[in-house]
Structure formats: structure tokens, C-alpha cells
Amino acid sequence: MKVRKVTAAAAVVLALSVTATACGSSDKDDKGSGGKKITIGIKFDQPGIGQKTPDGKYAGFDVDVATYVAKELGYAAGDIEWKEAKSADRELMLSRGDVKFIAASYSINDERAKKVDFAGPYLLAHQDILVRSDDNSIKSAEDLNKKKLCSVTGSTSAQNVKDKLAPKAQLQQYSTYSQCLTGLENKAIDALTTDDSILAGYAAQKNFQGKFKLAGLKMTNENYGIGLKKGDAGLKKKINDALTKMVKDGSWDKAVEANFGPAGYKHEKAPEIGNIVK
């Protein structure tokens, strides 16, 4: 008899435990009230775009965009769990459901669109070069011939310039963009190339302000979109509606100025939703 009482009590505890677990799992990425959370992928290492700061906070244009979108989906800033989305991992993170969406300098292209869906675009960037503020010798891509051109190891940006625009450019590959910037500052290299938004983010940092400038060459078009799991049309529409509202109420312009303004970044106007510039 005593055994039966213990067993019954244990069954009640087990049932309550299962119920609580089920409720907890459904709360994840559901609705932003009652402490429920949403997980969003961003870059952790791109100042001005997406960066985890030394004090454990998150900052950058993509962070501001993602925070605004999350708010429109019903989540307060405190409901967001940020997850690092490295370039090579983004499609896998979305397919596995590790994140609800990704805003991480994520250029829309045909190959990626086969694997994930994109909302947006929310920014039109271009491949450009960064030079020292007192250097007026580079006014076109052809002027990079015989110049020392830096990009990070594994990036195709510098190789694209050499292959298509300046075959005599001297490629210099460093491990990080920060090393390229130090080389540029010390005149070990002549120019750094990647997306202009990324370059502007670095140049806008306090320790670099006034030292560099963008050349404004616009060598490619990079349409930044918000990546989400393939087939979620409802979420895509909600995010597109949020991005449209962000532009209309002026929040988009404020975010651009706050994150890129100190670099003198001459950005394109906010793109129309669905307008992919080739």
C-alpha cells in the first residue's frame, strides 16, 4: 500500500514535469510576452555591422535592423538571444532551426536562395576600397595596378579585383581586417577591399576616425537580406512589413547614420523590398 502511494505521487510529479517541459519548449521563439525568447543570428566581429563588444553587448547596423524587426514581431530587446552566424554556417543554422532569422551582411544571390529564403533587401552595398585619408592616387579600379591591395585570407574580394579590373595589383592577404587596417595605417599596404558597408564600419571606429576614406568605386552590388528557413512565407511577409515600416518612420536612416556616419559613408537610399540590383 505504501509503495502504491509513492508510485502514484511519483506519477503526478512526472506528469507535471512533462507538462512544464512541453510548455517551456513551445515558448521558444513563439511570442514576445511573458519572457519568451527569439534567437537571431548576427556577426560578432564586424564593427558597424554586427559586433559583440568587450562589455558583452551587441552593436551595429544589422543589430539595429534585427532589433527593430524583432520588436515588430512582438519581442522586446531583452527577449532576443543573439547567436554568432559565421558566413560558412548561415544556411545550416537556418535549416536546423538554430535561429529564427539571420541579419549578418548576408548578400542575396541565386545560389543561396536555393537553400534559404530572404526578406528584404534592407541595404544595397558595393565592393569598394578603403585608403588613407590623404591618398588621392586611386580614383578608379585601374589605379590599383602595382598597388598593394589587402583583404582577409579566404576572401574573394581582392582576387576579383586582380582577375577582372587590375591584373597588376599586388595582393596581400592578412588574417583579419584589423591587420589590414594596421598595414594601411602604417603604409605597408595601399588599399583594403571588401563591401563598402564593412569598410565604413571599421573606419567609423573611434581609433580610426579621420584616418581613412572610401574611394566610392562601387565595383559590385551586394543586396543584404534577412535570411530565414526555406518555405516560411508568413514570417517572410512579417519581416518585409517590418523593414518597410523601419524605412518609413525614419529609423533606418538613423541606424545608418549612427553606425556609418563617422566614416563619411555615402550609402545608397533604402532599397525597395524585393528589388534585387544586379
Side-chain angles (χ1 to χ4, degrees):
M1 190 70 179
K2 187 175 182 180
V3 172
R4 284 198 297 271
K5 285 182 179 179
V6 172
T7 303
V12 171
V13 172
L14 178 61
L16 290 173
S17 176
V18 170
T19 301
T21 301
C23 290
S25 63
S26 65
D27 282 353
K28 183 79 170 179
D29 287 346
D30 186 10
K31 189 154 177 90
S33 59
K36 298 173 185 178
K37 301 292 184 180
I38 183 171
T39 305
I40 301 173
I42 57 170
K43 289 292 180 68
F44 278 14
D45 59 353
Q46 289 184 342
I49 299 288
Q51 182 184 27
K52 185 175 182 179
T53 59
D55 59 0
K57 296 180 180 180
Y58 302 89
F61 180 70
D62 282 351
V63 175
D64 291 344
V65 170
T67 301
Y68 189 99
V69 169
K71 179 192 69 175
E72 293 302 306
L73 295 177
Y75 300 90
D79 295 330
I80 300 172
E81 293 180 348
W82 300 107
K83 192 174 185 70
E84 185 174 18
K86 295 180 180 179
S87 295
D89 299 335
R90 291 177 295 201
E91 285 84 29
L92 183 59
M93 290 173 67
L94 289 168
S95 66
R96 288 190 313 209
D98 295 344
V99 292
K100 195 72 170 180
F101 64 82
I102 289 177
S105 54
Y106 203 178
S107 296
I108 302 170
N109 62 40
D110 293 340
E111 189 62 31
R112 289 171 179 164
K114 294 176 183 177
K115 303 174 183 176
V116 302
D117 282 339
F118 285 100
Y122 62 90
L123 182 72
L124 175 58
H126 307 280
Q127 186 180 343
D128 200 358
I129 63 167
L130 193 71
V131 296
R132 290 181 293 276
S133 57
D134 61 352
D135 185 353
N136 298 311
S137 65
I138 304 175
K139 295 182 172 62
S140 69
E142 290 74 19
D143 292 333
L144 290 167
N145 282 306
K146 297 184 180 180
K147 297 284 189 178
K148 294 179 181 178
L149 179 65
C150 187
S151 193
V152 297
T153 303
S155 169
T156 59
S157 298
Q159 192 64 49
N160 286 342
V161 172
K162 185 173 177 63
D163 290 345
K164 301 174 183 178
L165 301 170
K168 294 183 181 179
Q170 301 173 26
L171 299 188
Q172 307 287 319
Q173 291 190 328
Y174 290 4
S175 299
T176 66
Y177 288 117
S178 295
Q179 291 177 334
C180 284
L181 284 164
T182 299
L184 185 58
E185 185 177 15
N186 296 335
K187 300 185 178 182
I189 61 170
D190 300 306
L192 163 61
T193 186
T194 188
D195 294 357
D196 54 7
S197 57
I198 297 173
L199 295 174
Y202 277 102
Q205 300 304 291
K206 288 184 178 180
N207 55 321
F208 291 132
Q209 286 180 18
K211 295 181 179 180
F212 308 117
K213 64 182 179 182
L214 284 89
L217 301 187
K218 298 184 178 181
M219 294 180 279
T220 64
N221 295 322
E222 307 294 337
N223 299 272
Y224 286 6
I226 291 182
L228 56 149
K229 192 172 184 177
K230 196 77 173 173
D232 197 339
L235 179 60
K236 180 176 179 178
K237 183 182 184 305
K238 289 178 181 179
I239 294 177
N240 279 336
D241 288 345
L243 293 173
T244 299
K245 183 178 178 181
M246 186 179 186
V247 172
K248 286 184 176 179
D249 69 15
S251 299
W252 188 90
D253 287 310
K254 290 179 181 177
V256 169
E257 181 59 30
N259 292 290
F260 304 130
Y265 177 40
K266 297 179 181 179
H267 63 85
E268 300 280 2
K269 66 179 183 179
E272 296 179 11
I273 297 299
N275 182 24
I276 308 298
V277 180
K278 299 294 185 179

